[in-house]
Amino acid sequence: MVKEIERAGIPVVHICTVVPISLTVGANRIVPAVAIPHPLGNPALDANEEKNLRRKIVLKSLKALTAEVEGQTVFED
Amino acid sequence: MSKKIVHYINQFFAGVGGEEKADIKPEVREGVIGPGMALNTALKGEAEIVATIICGDSYFNENLEEAKATILEMVKKYNPDLFIAGPAFNAGRYGVACGTIATAVKEELNIPAITGMYIENPGADMFKKSLYIIETGNSAAAMRTAVPAMAKLAIKMMKGEEIGSPAEDNYIPRGIRRNYFADERGSKRAVNMLMKKLKGEEYVTEYPMPDFDRVEPNPAVKDITKANIALVTSGGIVPKHNPDRIESSSASKYGKYDIANFADLTEADHETAHGGYDPVYANIDPDRVLPVDVLRDLEKEGAIGKLHRYFYTTVGNGTSVANSKAFAAEFAKELKADGVDAVILTST
């Protein structure tokens, strides 16, 4: 899906837990997530902390969208 | 004395549990469990599974290095003649786990290792160059054909016999070329092939072209504060009760849903249809997969232009590459027509 969106001419960022799969599939902008059943959350945290964590990941993905990349790039921090 | 094999399987095939047990740490049990029984029978006394290692698929993928190190220690203790992982069929995390651990056993312990999976399993592409991966069907229903093929290759490897071509020994082509003496010279074979092609007959190429389907990254978004951003997910988030009945695995469709009136997804209005991960966390708070709450905040703060009115969703679990491609090719056109500037795609 990520490739078809890219092919249509829309920049896309892939937020996913298993980065090697995303690399194999061919995503260009990749942001690592937290865990498979809750990529953008962590039930061990309280609600506020959890939302902050989610916000951080979303902000990182916005940063990825505004960054020029050549080929596949994983945005680690 | 028959040869010794250590077998690796996930929590599901071990009968420990489904997705709710996908986070269990590696453990080792003496003897055979689950698919190991059929493998043992197919090995016809030439070899025997002496131990089975079980690990949860999510645990393995979320803790790759730790899981790998622990399992290598477990394997080492038995000093087996061969290591078998899976088969994983079309289970993505299981395939990645099987490929990772089989490669590690082969390269770090110097013990021959094989696995089995469906050609579209992401683990197949990742590990076909380093391993013999028996090509299986896409679900456990194909166990019947997968087991004899794996046992046959296992016996050949343990006896040090020559491994045949991918077609002869049923493994996924590894991209290795080997010299052999053909009955006819190349020019004649090429013309024969061409004749068959012209007549519309079946022919087999001697050199399949590699399929590099890469798409170049698009230029970055110039001004994110003005951008219309859409959410897409393979994590199966749908309105409560899954109105379009998107399948929990091998999805045949995708959904397009209006979130204009939502500032936050909750248990009351959304859920996940995905059958390939423990749904508890996503059902309690669907924002954990589809971050509508945060994007609404950012929209209000002016950090993004706006959150697109519709999100697109499907279930990535065992869904064929062809289907996923068709879904996205279709809705990407819509996104483009609707003036979407960028997409955030989330996967579980």
Side-chain angles (χ1 to χ4, degrees), chain B residues 8 19 25 35 47 77 83 97 144 181 191 277 292 295 299:
Chain B
Y8 174 88
E19 288 303 330
K25 291 187 175 189
K77 261 192 239 152
F83 179 80
R144 222 163 15 95
F181 288 102
V191 171
Y277 64 88
V292 171
L295 282 160
E299 183 183 43

Side-chain angles (χ1 to χ4, degrees), chain B residues 107-124:
Chain B
E107 281 166 14
E108 292 177 37
L109 303 182
N110 238 334
I111 293 168
I114 64 167
T115 180
M117 54 189 95
Y118 180 57
I119 187 89
E120 286 191 3
N121 192 314

Side-chain angles (χ1 to χ4, degrees), chain A residues 48-65:
Chain A
N48 271 335
E49 285 172 340
E50 190 182 10
K51 197 169 169 189
N52 268 332
L53 169 76
R54 176 153 59 246
R55 190 180 163 99
K56 263 195 216 149
I57 300 170
V58 172
L59 286 174
K60 199 192 289 180
S61 69
L62 295 180
K63 218 175 94 190
L65 286 169

Side-chain angles (χ1 to χ4, degrees), chain B residues 88-161:
Chain B
F89 305 105
N90 199 20
R93 286 165 304 155
Y94 191 20
V96 173
C98 285
T100 306
I101 197 61
T103 304
V105 167
K106 178 180 157 240
E107 281 166 14
E108 292 177 37
L109 303 182
N110 238 334
I111 293 168
I114 64 167
T115 180
M117 54 189 95
Y118 180 57
I119 187 89
E120 286 191 3
N121 192 314
D125 233 19
M126 288 161 76
F127 297 103
K128 66 184 178 193
K129 286 211 175 79
S130 39
L131 285 173
Y132 285 108
I133 304 175
I134 292 290
E135 183 168 351
T136 72
N138 67 356
S139 78
M143 188 71 84
R144 222 163 15 95
T145 46
V147 162
M150 289 176 82
K152 184 179 146 210
L153 183 65
I155 292 169
K156 270 192 167 183
M157 284 175 88
M158 283 184 294
K159 285 187 171 170
E161 288 174 11

Side-chain angles (χ1 to χ4, degrees), chain A residues 20-62:
Chain A
I21 294 187
S22 181
L23 286 166
T24 302
V25 168
N28 288 316
R29 292 175 169 91
I30 303 168
V31 169
V34 179
I36 290 159
H38 44 82
L40 287 126
N42 182 354
L45 302 175
D46 73 40
N48 271 335
E49 285 172 340
E50 190 182 10
K51 197 169 169 189
N52 268 332
L53 169 76
R54 176 153 59 246
R55 190 180 163 99
K56 263 195 216 149
I57 300 170
V58 172
L59 286 174
K60 199 192 289 180
S61 69
L62 295 180

Side-chain angles (χ1 to χ4, degrees), chain B residues 207-284:
Chain B
Y207 188 60
M209 285 294 125
D211 178 18
F212 289 119
D213 185 24
R214 285 284 181 250
V215 181
E216 289 299 308
N218 285 305
V221 177
K222 292 275 171 308
D223 186 356
I224 200 84
T225 65
K226 300 212 165 52
N228 180 12
I229 295 177
L231 278 171
V232 174
T233 188
S234 64
I237 300 300
V238 290
K240 194 86 182 172
H241 307 308
N242 190 9
D244 296 314
R245 306 235 164 253
I246 297 177
E247 299 90 341
S248 61
S249 79
S250 306
S252 68
K253 54 193 152 195
Y254 66 91
K256 172 189 182 183
Y257 301 109
D258 191 342
I259 37 170
N261 296 322
F262 290 99
D264 183 16
L265 304 185
T266 69
E267 209 174 351
D269 44 72
H270 287 78
E271 64 187 15
T272 180
H274 203 292
Y277 64 88
D278 185 351
V280 171
Y281 312 104
N283 282 342
I284 294 173

Side-chain angles (χ1 to χ4, degrees), chain A residues 1-18 20-21 23-26 28-29 33-43 50-51 54-55 58-59 61-62 65-72, chain B residues 58 61-62 93 96 122 125-126 213-221 224 229 233-234 277-278 281 285 287-289 291 293-295 297-298 301 304 314 324-325 328-329 331-332 335-336 341-348:
Chain A
M1 291 208 293
V2 73
K3 246 175 356 199
E4 292 312 307
I5 295 167
E6 193 94 81
R7 216 191 297 274
I10 308 171
V12 51
V13 56
H14 192 199
I15 302 180
C16 66
T17 306
V18 191
I21 294 187
L23 286 166
T24 302
V25 168
N28 288 316
R29 292 175 169 91
V34 179
I36 290 159
H38 44 82
L40 287 126
N42 182 354
E50 190 182 10
K51 197 169 169 189
R54 176 153 59 246
R55 190 180 163 99
V58 172
L59 286 174
S61 69
L62 295 180
L65 286 169
T66 53
E68 298 292 354
V69 298
E70 287 181 23
Q72 299 189 293
Chain B
S58 288
N61 280 274
E62 288 168 2
R93 286 165 304 155
V96 173
D125 233 19
M126 288 161 76
D213 185 24
R214 285 284 181 250
V215 181
E216 289 299 308
N218 285 305
V221 177
I224 200 84
I229 295 177
T233 188
S234 64
Y277 64 88
D278 185 351
Y281 312 104
D285 185 357
D287 293 297
R288 285 169 174 157
V289 176
D293 59 347
V294 166
L295 282 160
D297 290 351
L298 293 170
E301 295 161 25
I304 61 166
T314 191
S324 315
K325 230 177 130 137
F331 67 66
L335 289 169
K336 192 81 190 158
D341 298 301
V343 166
I344 296 177
L345 194 157
T346 64
S347 289
T348 44

